[in-house]
Amino acid sequence: MSLTFRAAVKDRDLDVSLEVPHGRTLGLIGANGSGKSSVLAVLAGLVRADSGTAVLDGEELFSARVWVPPHRRRIGLLAQDSLLFPRMSVVDNVAFGPRSQGLSRPAARAVAQHWLIEVDAADLADRKPSELSGGQQQRVALARALATQPHLLLLDEPLSATDVGMAAMMRQTLRRVLAGRTAVIVTHHVLDAVLLCDRVAVLEAGRVVETGRTEEVFRRPRSDFAASISGLNMVRGVATGPDSLVATDGTVIHGEPDMALTPGDPALAVFRPEAVSVHRSAPGGSPRNQFLGPVTSIEPQAHLVRIQVGDLGADITADSVARLAIDVGESVVLVIKAAEVSLYHG
Amino acid sequence: MSLTFRAAVKDRDLDVSLEVPHGRTLGLIGANGSGKSSVLAVLAGLVRADSGTAVLDGEELFSARVWVPPHRRRIGLLAQDSLLFPRMSVVDNVAFGPRSQGLSRPAARAVAQHWLIEVDAADLADRKPSELSGGQQQRVALARALATQPHLLLLDEPLSATDVGMAAMMRQTLRRVLAGRTAVIVTHHVLDAVLLCDRVAVLEAGRVVETGRTEEVFRRPRSDFAASISGLNMVRGVATGPDSLVATDGTVIHGEPDMALTPGDPALAVFRPEAVSVHRSAPGGSPRNQFLGPVTSIEPQAHLVRIQVGDLGADITADSVARLAIDVGESVVLVIKAAEVSLYHG
Amino acid sequence: SNRPGESTTITVFAAASLQATFTRLGAQFETANPGTTVMFNFGGSSDLVAQLQDGASADVFAAADTVTMDKAVAAGLLSARPAVFATNSMEIAVPPGNPAGVTSFVSLADPGIAVVVCAPQVPCGAATRTVEQNVGVALMPVSEENSVTDVLGKVISGEADAGVVYVSDVISAGDAVDGVPIPTADNATNDYPIGVLKGSTSADDAGEFQAYVLGPEGQQVLAEGGFGTPS
Amino acid sequence: MNRTPRLDVPSWIFVPAAAGSLFIVLPLLAMLTRVDWADLPALITSPGARTALLLSLKTSTIATLLCLVFGVPMAIILGRSTFRGQDVMRSVVLLPLVLPPVVAGIALLYTFGRRGLLGGSLEAFGIQIAFSTTAVIMAQTFVAMPFLVVSLEGALRSSGQRYEEVAATLGARPTTVLRRVTLPMVLPAVASGAVLSFARALGEFGATITFAGSLQGTTRTLPLEIYLQREVDPDSAIALSMVLVVVAALVISLARRTARPA
Amino acid sequence: MNRTPRLDVPSWIFVPAAAGSLFIVLPLLAMLTRVDWADLPALITSPGARTALLLSLKTSTIATLLCLVFGVPMAIILGRSTFRGQDVMRSVVLLPLVLPPVVAGIALLYTFGRRGLLGGSLEAFGIQIAFSTTAVIMAQTFVAMPFLVVSLEGALRSSGQRYEEVAATLGARPTTVLRRVTLPMVLPAVASGAVLSFARALGEFGATITFAGSLQGTTRTLPLEIYLQREVDPDSAIALSMVLVVVAALVISLARRTARPA
Ligand SMILES: Nc1ncnc2c1ncn2[C@@H]1O[C@H](COP(=O)(O)OP(=O)(O)OP(=O)(O)O)[C@@H](O)[C@H]1O
Ligand SMILES: Nc1ncnc2c1ncn2[C@@H]1O[C@H](COP(=O)(O)OP(=O)(O)OP(=O)(O)O)[C@@H](O)[C@H]1O
Ligand SMILES: [Mg+2]
Ligand SMILES: [Mg+2]
């Protein structure tokens, strides 16, 4: 009882296989255009794969010989645009799925009311979609998708238009709803993935480049995208000892290996920008990792300032920036304690 | 040379006044349905205000007697949905504005190409909008809005569908584009506001509840929404001394005032969740702020774990959570050093 | 012939040009024969034949020319030989006051006069051709209409200066047109035959109607309508 | 005044639109000036006119319903599915549009008449269609149907299919999608199509007189009555036409008003 | 096969659609069985038929263009703006639909005829419309225009206005919005409307014969020729009708094909 999926769509350069165990939630992350929505569209039956097959709860959804039309797949899809039916009220939009499944009109409305309460939109029930704000529309669309109680739930960036406070609430709701339900969620937010997904798959250019348990992927990313979405600096290289690697540009990095590395093996070093300190010249002292380079940008973040040196970022306080008196283009030295660097097999 | 705006729209319960000095960018933040998009729609001429007036660069856009139709306002609007013209290619979509301003077809295409390069979508030029991913559509729509070189630029959540890496790039692009241009940007992201906006205005239920310089608003929020979007804990109260206030529930909070408070005046206390430590029982020691209450939720964040006690949040490491062995519903004591609490007149 | 309380309906298929006179005749006949209703189906004679062939049920058929009636006879639609009950001949119709000053058939050949006629394919056109040949002129009409009604319409509206139509049409148009007669020697005449149909469900009443049309009352109404008496 | 303001349409567009409207209005006005208002009441209430008007309304309404019952499915199949022979079907549907109505009547006779393709089989069942009120309705349906199909198909093609996809992912069967998404979306076009069909049926003359004949109370609809009247008195024919026009305008605006809340 | 798959239409819908198609196809087939194929070539190439066909094509094409020039603006004003008297205008536009064509011809005579409303003024300018090809075109335009207006207005109402708003915020004047957004969006409906108008104009008989008369080469269009022919030989009239139908189908499918890439 689970989902297995493999599909290739030539003209979108997509070739993906995925598995979602029964009752689990898979996060799908990746850059714009990497194929996330396409995967959902193939699953929902809105795009035909050139080859491949999908099996949900033992039943083939599509394959070379089989084609189950969308309305018989029992798959709920929340697409990237809300696409609420413009001529129906909010409650009728949400009641549409239950009605289609044969519920009576009052029963379907009751179900709809329930889901509208879940997404905190009960007071919008009688409005027309054109009278809703963007975030309200998204919540109603979410309620509509949830109300069908599908065997497989597909959510494409369900919270992208939702404000911060409401998003926190919605994540709670989704956690409840997703418990025991097989689901695939596309998101650009680490927090969504961490809170909602058992595993994540990272897409790059239509291919799965990394999958794993959610925390694992974000703490020990293997793909550039996973590192960047986690806000981590990542350096690829080759292990030179049990606790060091040499990057492609020759820099040697020392750190704390999860397991002793085997010299010669590919290895990854990962560290948080907050752990990086910035100096005008190399500080003296014991074994430390140092990177030298010109500052490419200086950006205020919420509370700190991000100093970017090539691919690497350092977050320091505004005070430090003032004290260092650095400017874009000037050379600086980035220093990271070995204890702050995670090393693992790549 | 600037924008002054005051408008009321009855059936959306909106009553807002704003000012944007020439060449400056105003951030508009607020919860879903607080009226952000409505303000932009009134400015762009897509919704009529029941009363009010707007003056851009000395010219009245609307008032009781004046009504400049949308196409003569020289206002560029990037709406919340991309709404690319479905029957035109991407480049023709972007060239639409310049063409409408009278440029020749090749000249307009050249302008379009320029903006497509700016949003890193040059390779999509010949596609139809239906062949784009969600994030790609949003970037193209952004290019289309920018290509008109409007006197006033209105961007409604310009980066909501954009992936993390691309968003960083787009923020750079927007910074360049917005320099010297009068603009209003709606966003749910602190980073967008911090990087792009000189000032922000916070909307709640169709009213402006706070405006100020961007850093000021996020560091010293006065509205609940500004505090929550900045990820800060905020407590309202009445000053009891130069460096203390009493909250409505009677708790006394000590902190570092920006300026000595006048007892009896309303005051606000603000502190970061990372600065809060969690104890099973009240620790001894010198003057500290303490809050007692049951844990309402425990949520993993990207790197830390958020312990929520009522309105207040504490971010602690997963290790600490394990060591404390706390669970939802159990009473804990939140402790914050006075040095970590900012106090200011509310 | 009806016993009191009994009612019959007879259906008469008649050429469109008979509408005015037959409607009057029908009403008179109904008064003379209480309990009998006369229903009419007016149309182009050839259309009516086609309808009869295709199964339309009727009791009496009155056509505007013998060619069409011959077709009906050939198709075996009639129960007896039809009889000619009226004749019609041609006349020039001009707008009231005769603005173009039409005096004779020959003057219609003046290129300054806009004249409309029936197309030679239809009976009134064929008759017009005959008149042309008799008079010895060739008209250059601005329009060759499909029916005499269309010709009359052009004249009534003043669009045409003159039109060649049946005498009965000039009469029935009343004040709307003036007539310029064509001498009998030059004129063309066509015969209107009437007959009882084989499929008739009330052949007696149908026969009575036919007799009524051929009888003095009928002939008087027809004469008032501008029709000639068959020789 | 806080609804989304309608965007301006270009002002020059009022020039051709006014010219077009004038071109339509002037002849109607010219007709009005010729109507003999004193005679009108008698004319309208004459048994012939009344019977014809009622018959016209009855047959046109039924014909419009038949057009909807058969035409909407045809439009949907043409506009929303792909199958071999679709182009052929599309062309075939158009044909009655160009057929001169009298020829259409002949074609119907050739099919349903006594001597027609199906006439024999129908007669065997005791069904006589030609020259009955049924024949009037069939003639009207035949000439009016393409108007519904063609205009509705155009609207279906103009409207995208994204909402229908959403409905399918919500588990709606094709029938449900059709009933609750597709049709509501193109409702204005269905209404326009029905109006066109009704108007065409109401004004139908040539096919009716050929296929159904012109018998008072059974097959003589108002246009046939008008045609007959014209032989006798052109001006009263025009007056009767005005009745037809007014009745049509009333029926249509009534139908529009009741359809709007749906 | 990786395009978005068309959603299934409900399968029961094929039943009424097939019934409707049969109802249209059967009479056409019945006609075909009566055509005397041996005589056909001679008939078609007869000067009368050839001239009439060419005249029909010419006048119908011009009439369709006029319908587009005047009808599209009218539809846009009805479907995209609000003004007082809009409902009146909508009803007026419908009227020629229900007017029996012959009466429409009379109305045109009353307006543009020699003794009509404008006849005097026109004659003063030396314009003589009566019995000219111009009159044919005017009659066809008058009866065909409502088809374009009504079907296009339906489509405009079915389609939303959001893209037009976007265009306005990009600085597009109403004219530009119309040309580059509105019209491309409803292009299929414009095409359908044009097809309906063309077909109506091509089949037009009553108004033409009443207003323009019937003279070979000048005003006798193919339908008029067919009616005349019918007096002589009904079967050859049917054969000529088939020609009309085939030509119409060709012209329409040609127009469709060229319009598609736009
Ligand atoms: N209908 C289509 N035809 C052809 N190519 C398409 C079509 N739709 C999308 N694409 C392309 O396929 C690729 C994958 O698109 P997809 O929408 O799956 O991306 P995504 O991962 O969802 O991105 P985003 O985060 O921007 O939503 C993109 O390069 C896109 O341009
Ligand atoms: N056309 C409309 N008619 C009536 N009310 C409307 C209409 N559009 C929006 N509203 C209401 O007006 C309020 C403000 O909506 P608005 O779209 O401005 O919110 P917003 O701040 O942009 O929210 P979001 O972050 O969700 O986009 C909301 O309560 C919304 O439901
Ligand atoms: Mg996507
Ligand atoms: Mg909004």
Side-chain angles (χ1 to χ4, degrees), chain B:
Chain B
M1 300 287 267
S2 63
L3 172 74
T4 41
F5 171 84
R6 203 198 73 65
V9 180
K10 265 199 231 98
D11 71 0
R12 301 197 187 182
D13 189 22
L14 190 79
D15 190 350
V16 169
S17 11
L18 296 171
E19 297 233 355
V20 190
H22 180 73
R24 293 306 168 84
T25 301
L26 174 74
L28 215 51
I29 64 175
N32 290 142
S34 57
K36 308 180 294 295
S37 301
S38 300
V39 167
L40 301 198
V42 172
L43 270 171
L46 300 180
V47 167
R48 270 185 205 256
D50 294 296
S51 66
T53 175
V55 179
L56 177 63
D57 291 354
E59 197 201 340
E60 252 186 1
L61 297 178
F62 65 87
S63 69
R65 286 151 297 103
V66 177
W67 173 258
V68 180
H71 67 282
R72 282 205 266 111
R73 295 197 176 186
R74 301 225 52 167
I75 292 182
L77 170 66
L78 173 69
Q80 219 164 340
D81 326 358
S82 304
L83 289 174
L84 298 175
F85 301 123
R87 281 173 177 76
M88 291 182 206
S89 68
V90 161
V91 64
D92 286 340
N93 260 281
V94 181
F96 185 92
R99 280 284 279 160
S100 297
Q101 290 166 357
L103 259 62
S104 72
R105 180 186 269 267
R109 285 204 156 223
V111 171
Q113 287 295 356
H114 167 76
W115 287 106
L116 283 175
I117 291 168
E118 284 281 9
V119 301
D120 200 25
D123 51 326
L124 307 174
D126 295 323
R127 297 220 199 152
K128 283 280 153 65
S130 61
E131 297 166 4
L132 299 182
S133 80
Q136 289 165 342
Q137 285 178 25
Q138 194 173 42
R139 261 144 58 203
V140 173
L142 181 58
R144 184 175 66 173
L146 297 176
T148 56
Q149 300 273 17
H151 289 191
L152 172 65
L153 185 60
L154 309 174
L155 305 178
D156 202 343
E157 305 191 23
L159 304 175
S160 61
T162 306
D163 74 62
V164 181
M166 188 55 76
M169 244 192 75
M170 286 299 109
R171 277 188 207 103
Q172 297 310 320
T173 306
L174 283 175
R175 264 166 85 95
R176 264 202 316 283
V177 170
L178 293 173
R181 190 180 295 280
T182 318
V184 181
I185 300 187
V186 172
T187 181
H188 286 304
H189 289 275
V190 178
L191 208 53
D192 292 347
V194 167
L195 285 178
L196 303 174
C197 305
D198 301 298
R199 299 175 66 82
V200 298
V202 182
L203 288 190
E204 258 176 48
R207 305 287 180 284
V208 176
V209 292
E210 177 175 11
T211 72
R213 287 202 310 108
T214 309
E215 306 89 86
E216 207 44 38
V217 169
F218 290 130
R219 274 194 17 237
R220 300 280 182 269
R222 280 160 208 283
S223 61
D224 294 338
F225 186 82
S228 105
I229 194 178
S230 322
L232 295 174
N233 291 307
M234 181 167 81
V235 180
R236 288 176 193 281
V238 176
T240 51
D243 60 358
S244 63
L245 62 75
V246 57
T248 36
D249 68 352
T251 319
V252 174
I253 302 179
H254 298 272
E256 297 279 333
D258 290 2
M259 288 190 308
L261 301 174
T262 314
D265 277 6
L268 292 168
V270 154
F271 48 94
R272 296 184 304 131
E274 294 95 321
V276 180
S277 57
V278 179
H279 302 259
R280 299 225 55 147
S281 56
S286 55
R288 291 172 137 184
N289 298 302
Q290 302 191 355
F291 302 90
L292 187 98
V295 173
T296 42
S297 74
I298 303 178
E299 300 292 347
Q301 305 284 85
H303 301 291
L304 296 167
V305 176
R306 161 74 48 98
I307 310 289
Q308 198 72 34
V309 177
D311 289 344
L312 302 181
D315 285 355
I316 58 177
T317 60
D319 284 356
S320 311
V321 179
R323 210 173 44 236
L324 283 164
I326 44 173
D327 220 332
V328 172
E330 292 182 64
S331 263
V332 294
V333 181
L334 301 185
V335 176
I336 313 105
K337 283 199 290 192
E340 293 277 5
V341 177
S342 302
L343 288 181
Y344 47 96
H345 190 272

Side-chain angles (χ1 to χ4, degrees), chain A residues 11-14 30-40 47 80 156-157 186 188 203 206, chain B residues 124 127-137 139 161-163, chain E residues 2-4:
Chain A
D11 70 1
R12 301 197 186 181
D13 188 23
L14 189 79
N32 289 142
S34 58
K36 307 180 294 296
S37 300
S38 300
V39 167
L40 301 198
V47 167
Q80 220 163 340
D156 203 343
E157 305 191 22
V186 171
H188 287 303
L203 288 190
Chain B
L124 307 174
R127 297 220 199 152
K128 283 280 153 65
S130 61
E131 297 166 4
L132 299 182
S133 80
Q136 289 165 342
Q137 285 178 25
R139 261 144 58 203
T162 306
D163 74 62
Chain E
N2 40 24
R3 294 242 16 243
T4 302

Side-chain angles (χ1 to χ4, degrees), chain D residues 15-34:
Chain D
V15 176
S21 306
L22 263 187
F23 180 60
I24 290 180
V25 170
L26 275 183
L28 298 169
L29 286 182
M31 272 174 63
L32 283 182
T33 63
R34 302 290 176 111

